[in-house]
Amino acid sequence: MSHVLAPQQEEERYQAVLAVDPAAPGALDALIVGLHDESWRVRRAASESLRRLPTLTEVAHRLVSVLAERGETGARNAAAEALVGLGDVAVGPLIRLLVHEDPDQRKFAADILGHLGRRSSESALIGALADSDLNVRVSAVEALGRLGTDEGARALEGLLKEPETLLRLAVLESLSQLGWPPPLPVVVPLLSDPLLRRSAYRVMGLIPQVAATELISRGLSSEVRSIRESALGALGTQASVADGPLRAEIDAQTHAALKRVPEAVEFVTQAFENEDMPVRAGALVAAGALREPSLAIAVAEAAREDRLLREVIRTLSRLGPEAGRELLGRMAELSLPARAAAAQAMLEMVDPSYVPALCALLEWAEDDLRAVAVKALGRTQSPEAVAPLVALLEEPALAGAAVRALGVLSRGCREAVLAALEQVVEQRPSPAAVAAFAHAGGTAALPTFRKLARAADPLLRAAALDAAMDVDPAVGLELARVALTDEAAPVRASGARAVGRVGDRSAGTLLKPALQDEDIAVRLAAVEALGESGAADRTPELEELVSHPDGALAGRAVRALGRIGTVRPEVLKEATRHADAEVVKAALQAGAVSAEGVALAVELLKHPGWDVRAMAARVLGDSGGRDSLEAVRAALSLEQDALARRALTDAVERLSRR
């Protein structure tokens, strides 16, 4: 086909560019013509197509020549975009362009190298900082700001004493972008220049020194609003890099400075609407220093910016209980991010007066927020919180949170909590109520648990056993012996788990019948308990279960043997032949401490399951020697799965260092 782009309609020219065969003769010329098209769509298509040509070095040189075509702005910009897309191959020609006699060409080269971001161009760009043309120097400064190297940052820092304002401004912005704090004495004189002041404050915020805090605080007291905003941005930046002692100094000096500002609260409120994120961050620091409850809503809404969430929660917690009540009363009006931040902060501000508002929140809020409200009710240490928390024990989604909250509440209102729970357990017992009674009642609740262990409801019998175990393991073991012979499978399973938790020497004998239980859940609990208690006398039964067709049971048996320390090589070998990949992975983990297990891991690098291959690689990375390296490298050369390749690559790196 012909590669000459005739003056057709835009869509036809666009399709013609897309149809260019990268391997055909004349493809480069046709695409270069496309870079000069009047349509940005055609230029973009040509720019992207150039990356697919086989001779990228030639492409780079042709694109550099397009940069010299003055008057062809669209083509030059498209060529610059194409050079960035070429990556490393474009660096050499662009570095050579940095010494072109035309400063316009040198500037283009610096700009593109900055967008490429390759460290191989660092030395050339540092050299360009001494260019005779100011625009080239500025472009080199901006490019080094994008590169992000320490050597480049040090070179930029040295330009802050240069006379050209435009150059110093570019340096300040690049240092800010790099997060590189220059020496404070170099920055201070720049604050007096109106054109540099905002950027100078920005980099001053990077300096974690009390002297910098003092200068920023002076800016907060300025009568000039723009200076106050710039100082506020510096304040937000400095707070983000400050340690504990400096942060306390920032808060103190900010408070003192803002007390001298007329209508400081209004100024801080308006700063939350600023488009500059550091200014909004500074507004949070200022709000916390002022401790003005009326700022609570504005502070909470700052959480819409994810990067400010941590500071939002800190600030809200400093505003005090009055701010918390304001937030609770207007929670429905807040955005979702603000609502979540307010909920977290309330846990630090809560007091007994919050109970009515927290109860109201439980009536309408989403589950995550309701869970926080439940936690906050426990922290109120108010007797008024007992009834709503007890009522939540019957709500499955929040019962667990209510149990924990009642435990916290009992520290200050123990009698009220116990009285309410005793009544509930007596009249309408539930597993959650039993658990809460254990948290709050301690050993005083044991007689109740003994009674409930004989209840008609098997779930209550199991809950009573678990609660007794939490309070007194000796009593729990006593009840567990009975539970192991219970007619209900959930109770037998609970009994098995209890035996495992106690770790009594009789565990192996007690759990032997449970290993043959007709209910799989009981058998699973028994196997887990044997591993937890270290009952080596049940090793033969566990070894038999390794080949059980139920993968959950077989895998748990392997893990139990590993915990007991009695897993034999032939048992590991048997486990690796199991049809369930989870059992194979359990074998890999259990064998990681033995030479036989490491040898099995080498074999399993060829397993059909990618997750098994990945696990084998991790085991070898942890436990293998250099003799495993060749096998891991071979597996890596054949591996197609991305996650398995990552595990194999890590294993190669670790084994190579041994």
Side-chain angles (χ1 to χ4, degrees), residues 59 79 147 211 224 227 251 259 297 307 354 407 511 514 540 543 609 625:
V59 172
L147 241 59
V224 181
I227 295 179
D251 290 335
K259 283 297 184 183
I297 302 301
R307 290 172 292 178
Y354 279 42
L511 292 169
E543 289 181 342

mmCIF file of all heavy atoms in Angstrom, residues 59 79 147 211 224 227 251 259 297 307 354 407 511 514 540 543 609 625:
data_model
loop_
_atom_site.group_PDB
_atom_site.id
_atom_site.type_symbol
_atom_site.label_atom_id
_atom_site.label_comp_id
_atom_site.label_asym_id
_atom_site.label_seq_id
_atom_site.Cartn_x
_atom_site.Cartn_y
_atom_site.Cartn_z
ATOM 1 N N VAL A 59 14.166 5.830 14.683
ATOM 2 C CA VAL A 59 12.965 6.596 15.006
ATOM 3 C C VAL A 59 13.315 7.763 15.915
ATOM 4 O O VAL A 59 12.868 8.902 15.712
ATOM 5 C CB VAL A 59 11.911 5.688 15.678
ATOM 6 C CG1 VAL A 59 10.741 6.525 16.206
ATOM 7 C CG2 VAL A 59 11.412 4.639 14.705
ATOM 8 N N ALA A 79 6.092 14.872 18.455
ATOM 9 C CA ALA A 79 7.403 14.228 18.451
ATOM 10 C C ALA A 79 7.929 14.071 19.875
ATOM 11 O O ALA A 79 8.508 13.036 20.232
ATOM 12 C CB ALA A 79 8.386 15.035 17.610
ATOM 13 N N LEU A 147 13.134 13.825 38.264
ATOM 14 C CA LEU A 147 14.018 12.668 38.361
ATOM 15 C C LEU A 147 14.057 12.105 39.779
ATOM 16 O O LEU A 147 14.084 10.891 39.979
ATOM 17 C CB LEU A 147 15.438 13.063 37.937
ATOM 18 C CG LEU A 147 15.996 12.320 36.719
ATOM 19 C CD1 LEU A 147 15.105 12.546 35.519
ATOM 20 C CD2 LEU A 147 17.415 12.794 36.415
ATOM 21 N N ALA A 211 13.102 26.405 64.739
ATOM 22 C CA ALA A 211 13.321 27.737 64.154
ATOM 23 C C ALA A 211 12.424 27.948 62.943
ATOM 24 O O ALA A 211 11.901 29.053 62.725
ATOM 25 C CB ALA A 211 14.787 27.900 63.762
ATOM 26 N N VAL A 224 -1.353 40.266 56.017
ATOM 27 C CA VAL A 224 -1.572 39.990 54.593
ATOM 28 C C VAL A 224 -2.121 38.567 54.455
ATOM 29 O O VAL A 224 -1.476 37.595 54.863
ATOM 30 C CB VAL A 224 -0.267 40.136 53.794
ATOM 31 C CG1 VAL A 224 -0.519 39.868 52.309
ATOM 32 C CG2 VAL A 224 0.327 41.517 54.000
ATOM 33 N N ILE A 227 0.002 35.856 52.726
ATOM 34 C CA ILE A 227 1.114 35.352 53.539
ATOM 35 C C ILE A 227 0.595 34.339 54.554
ATOM 36 O O ILE A 227 1.200 33.292 54.783
ATOM 37 C CB ILE A 227 1.839 36.514 54.253
ATOM 38 C CG1 ILE A 227 2.499 37.435 53.216
ATOM 39 C CG2 ILE A 227 2.875 35.981 55.238
ATOM 40 C CD1 ILE A 227 3.206 38.621 53.815
ATOM 41 N N ASP A 251 1.957 22.845 67.637
ATOM 42 C CA ASP A 251 0.623 23.134 68.183
ATOM 43 C C ASP A 251 0.655 24.375 69.078
ATOM 44 O O ASP A 251 -0.233 25.229 69.001
ATOM 45 C CB ASP A 251 0.111 21.926 68.966
ATOM 46 C CG ASP A 251 -0.222 20.751 68.058
ATOM 47 O OD1 ASP A 251 -0.516 20.987 66.871
ATOM 48 O OD2 ASP A 251 -0.183 19.601 68.533
ATOM 49 N N LYS A 259 -4.071 33.350 68.007
ATOM 50 C CA LYS A 259 -4.756 34.189 68.988
ATOM 51 C C LYS A 259 -4.574 35.676 68.671
ATOM 52 O O LYS A 259 -5.362 36.515 69.113
ATOM 53 C CB LYS A 259 -4.209 33.902 70.394
ATOM 54 C CG LYS A 259 -4.728 32.612 71.002
ATOM 55 C CD LYS A 259 -6.238 32.660 71.190
ATOM 56 C CE LYS A 259 -6.760 31.421 71.872
ATOM 57 N NZ LYS A 259 -8.237 31.437 72.001
ATOM 58 N N ILE A 297 -17.340 20.370 61.907
ATOM 59 C CA ILE A 297 -17.904 19.899 60.638
ATOM 60 C C ILE A 297 -16.912 20.113 59.496
ATOM 61 O O ILE A 297 -16.685 19.218 58.672
ATOM 62 C CB ILE A 297 -19.233 20.622 60.337
ATOM 63 C CG1 ILE A 297 -20.232 20.388 61.474
ATOM 64 C CG2 ILE A 297 -19.807 20.144 59.016
ATOM 65 C CD1 ILE A 297 -20.561 18.938 61.725
ATOM 66 N N ARG A 307 -5.520 11.592 51.842
ATOM 67 C CA ARG A 307 -4.223 11.848 52.456
ATOM 68 C C ARG A 307 -4.328 12.623 53.767
ATOM 69 O O ARG A 307 -3.367 12.680 54.537
ATOM 70 C CB ARG A 307 -3.325 12.601 51.466
ATOM 71 C CG ARG A 307 -2.870 11.769 50.277
ATOM 72 C CD ARG A 307 -2.162 12.611 49.243
ATOM 73 N NE ARG A 307 -3.066 13.546 48.585
ATOM 74 C CZ ARG A 307 -2.686 14.425 47.662
ATOM 75 N NH1 ARG A 307 -1.409 14.496 47.308
ATOM 76 N NH2 ARG A 307 -3.567 15.228 47.096
ATOM 77 N N TYR A 354 -22.895 11.507 75.735
ATOM 78 C CA TYR A 354 -23.064 11.060 74.352
ATOM 79 C C TYR A 354 -24.130 9.973 74.203
ATOM 80 O O TYR A 354 -24.549 9.664 73.087
ATOM 81 C CB TYR A 354 -21.746 10.477 73.819
ATOM 82 C CG TYR A 354 -20.733 11.483 73.356
ATOM 83 C CD1 TYR A 354 -20.497 12.638 74.073
ATOM 84 C CD2 TYR A 354 -19.981 11.264 72.214
ATOM 85 C CE1 TYR A 354 -19.543 13.555 73.660
ATOM 86 C CE2 TYR A 354 -19.032 12.165 71.791
ATOM 87 C CZ TYR A 354 -18.811 13.317 72.524
ATOM 88 O OH TYR A 354 -17.881 14.225 72.108
ATOM 89 N N GLY A 407 -18.121 -5.398 78.300
ATOM 90 C CA GLY A 407 -16.924 -5.688 79.094
ATOM 91 C C GLY A 407 -16.184 -4.420 79.464
ATOM 92 O O GLY A 407 -15.712 -4.261 80.601
ATOM 93 N N LEU A 511 -9.596 -36.960 73.785
ATOM 94 C CA LEU A 511 -9.987 -36.639 72.411
ATOM 95 C C LEU A 511 -10.033 -37.852 71.490
ATOM 96 O O LEU A 511 -10.501 -37.737 70.352
ATOM 97 C CB LEU A 511 -9.020 -35.591 71.831
ATOM 98 C CG LEU A 511 -9.100 -34.201 72.469
ATOM 99 C CD1 LEU A 511 -7.941 -33.336 72.006
ATOM 100 C CD2 LEU A 511 -10.421 -33.533 72.116
ATOM 101 N N ALA A 514 -13.381 -38.545 69.970
ATOM 102 C CA ALA A 514 -13.808 -37.473 69.070
ATOM 103 C C ALA A 514 -13.197 -37.627 67.682
ATOM 104 O O ALA A 514 -13.764 -37.163 66.680
ATOM 105 C CB ALA A 514 -13.436 -36.113 69.663
ATOM 106 N N PRO A 540 -0.480 -41.825 65.631
ATOM 107 C CA PRO A 540 -0.930 -42.816 64.636
ATOM 108 C C PRO A 540 -2.285 -42.476 64.018
ATOM 109 O O PRO A 540 -2.469 -42.629 62.801
ATOM 110 C CB PRO A 540 -0.996 -44.115 65.444
ATOM 111 C CG PRO A 540 -0.015 -43.928 66.551
ATOM 112 C CD PRO A 540 -0.124 -42.485 66.914
ATOM 113 N N GLU A 543 -1.859 -39.662 61.575
ATOM 114 C CA GLU A 543 -1.207 -40.095 60.341
ATOM 115 C C GLU A 543 -2.204 -40.785 59.411
ATOM 116 O O GLU A 543 -2.123 -40.634 58.185
ATOM 117 C CB GLU A 543 -0.041 -41.016 60.669
ATOM 118 C CG GLU A 543 1.139 -40.287 61.309
ATOM 119 C CD GLU A 543 2.307 -41.210 61.598
ATOM 120 O OE1 GLU A 543 2.096 -42.447 61.630
ATOM 121 O OE2 GLU A 543 3.423 -40.707 61.777
ATOM 122 N N GLY A 609 -0.650 -27.184 40.170
ATOM 123 C CA GLY A 609 -1.303 -26.020 40.776
ATOM 124 C C GLY A 609 -0.327 -24.873 40.982
ATOM 125 O O GLY A 609 0.714 -25.044 41.629
ATOM 126 N N GLY A 625 18.887 -24.489 50.537
ATOM 127 C CA GLY A 625 20.278 -24.075 50.403
ATOM 128 C C GLY A 625 20.609 -23.767 48.955
ATOM 129 O O GLY A 625 19.756 -23.854 48.075
#
